[in-house]
Amino acid sequence: MSIWESKLDEVSKPVLSVSSLSAYYGELRAIYDVSIELQRGDVLAIIGANGAGKSTLLKSLTGLMTQGSSTRIRGSIEFNGHRIDKSGPDQIVEAGLALVPEGRRLFSRMTVEDNLLAGAYLARCRPTIDTKLEEIYMLFPRLRERKNQIVSQMSGGEQQMVSIGRALISSPTLIAFDELSLGLSPMMVDEIYKNLHRIIAGGTTSIIVEQDLKRALSASNRFCVMLEGSIVLEGKSNEVSLEEITAAYFGTTV
Ligand code: ATP
């Protein structure tokens, strides 16, 4: 194989390949045989009602379902060509897959900057910490202004910015955003999404879990709809009608 063929091969390899994934909480099966393939630069919107399994899918991808004694997954997850379905959250962040979790999960008594730095605990992050911090402050100037402020004293939207920054500081190749707009004012959601578009434009492969269908579709190039733990509809975001998505969302027919 020539050097160009091998480069082409590298580019065309999926970043993420999920095959027949099932996830369980004890006896409860929350995900049924889900398969997903993401190419570099893809932005996948995962759409679904409450309880459809969206967060469980993200938890499965980021190693959180293999942690506890009562949660488990079956099937395979390959990230950048390596199996990660038996890996823990730290190994998965190390591999380059970061999660912006629902509810932000910040250290509420620590400052903004300390929370950002908490995302850079891996040895491979150390040489780039200053550059990455600067990039995050360029993206969210409000965080630079408030870098010494205790996180619990920030607004919900500002805390969401810290949560996104904490994921970005580890230089992920794939970033998963869980319910970015939850509990935020429409104005703040607009601002968060403006920044999300800038992150995506930088070429980071992304997964967006979002209740707001229009926002999810406009931010993504691909989508899938989950219903009761399964993918019931998938395709290109610019080729689907809101009626089709809504019908899949509620499990009815158009
Ligand atoms: P939401 O939009 O409300 O966050 P979701 O699509 O993210 O919903 P999940 O949170 O993944 O859905 O839940 C999928 C299923 O798994 C639901 O039936 C839910 O009750 C169940 N489930 C989620 N977390 C747990 C848990 N910690 N223990 C037991 N069952 C759980």
Side-chain angles (χ1 to χ4, degrees):
M1 190 187 281
S2 77
I3 188 159
W4 291 113
E5 278 168 327
S6 73
K7 284 247 178 268
L8 209 63
D9 193 40
E10 191 66 17
V11 171
S12 61
K13 265 193 193 142
V15 173
L16 181 74
S17 191
V18 177
S19 284
S20 302
L21 181 74
S22 297
Y24 303 80
Y25 295 97
E27 294 301 304
L28 178 93
R29 189 170 175 186
I31 303 250
Y32 290 80
D33 289 323
V34 161
S35 296
I36 293 172
E37 201 165 278
L38 284 186
Q39 302 296 329
R40 202 160 297 281
D42 268 345
V43 180
L44 174 73
I46 303 179
I47 296 161
N50 293 121
K54 308 176 300 291
S55 297
T56 305
L57 175 56
L58 293 194
K59 283 200 248 171
S60 305
L61 299 181
T62 50
L64 296 168
M65 294 297 286
T66 49
Q67 286 297 88
S69 53
S70 62
T71 54
R72 66 197 163 90
I73 58 173
R74 281 173 55 194
S76 82
I77 308 174
E78 263 189 38
F79 177 62
N80 286 330
H82 300 285
R83 287 284 290 264
I84 58 163
D85 39 87
K86 303 257 182 314
S87 307
D90 287 355
Q91 291 164 297
I92 292 176
V93 174
E94 172 93 63
L97 200 169
L99 172 69
V100 178
E102 184 179 348
R104 296 156 209 143
R105 312 265 161 96
L106 298 168
F107 297 107
S108 60
R109 293 189 189 168
M110 283 166 47
T111 64
V112 166
E113 187 152 298
D114 285 343
N115 267 279
L116 293 175
L117 292 173
Y121 63 94
L122 299 166
R124 73 161 165 77
C125 297
R126 275 180 216 132
T128 54
I129 281 184
D130 291 340
T131 329
K132 292 307 287 183
L133 255 187
E134 186 53 32
E135 274 176 37
I136 291 160
Y137 287 146
M138 296 277 280
L139 193 63
F140 299 112
R142 205 173 311 188
L143 297 188
R144 190 198 300 275
E145 286 161 24
R146 315 241 168 128
K147 65 180 177 184
N148 295 318
Q149 192 165 324
I150 300 295
V151 149
S152 60
Q153 297 165 357
M154 311 276 283
S155 75
E158 289 164 346
Q159 290 188 22
Q160 191 62 283
M161 294 175 195
V162 178
S163 181
I164 296 172
R166 183 184 54 183
L168 286 175
I169 206 163
S170 65
S171 305
T173 42
L174 194 163
I175 183 160
F177 301 93
D178 198 358
E179 307 263 15
L180 280 183
S181 55
L182 203 68
L184 302 183
S185 68
M187 225 168 74
M188 191 46 87
V189 176
D190 282 346
E191 190 170 337
I192 296 283
Y193 264 82
K194 210 164 64 196
N195 286 298
L196 182 69
H197 283 287
R198 284 161 69 188
I199 295 166
I200 289 168
T204 309
T205 311
S206 308
I207 298 178
I208 303 170
V209 166
E210 178 58 75
Q211 295 267 357
D212 182 329
L213 300 185
K214 283 189 186 158
R215 254 183 225 286
L217 289 179
S218 73
S220 59
N221 67 325
R222 294 179 44 200
F223 76 92
C224 65
V225 181
M226 290 188 76
L227 180 71
E228 294 171 1
S230 300
I231 293 181
V232 290
L233 183 71
E234 57 189 316
K236 292 188 179 164
S237 306
N238 60 359
E239 290 177 357
V240 69
S241 68
L242 269 184
E243 288 73 24
E244 279 175 283
I245 294 239
T246 311
Y249 186 101
F250 290 111
T252 55
T253 46
V254 186

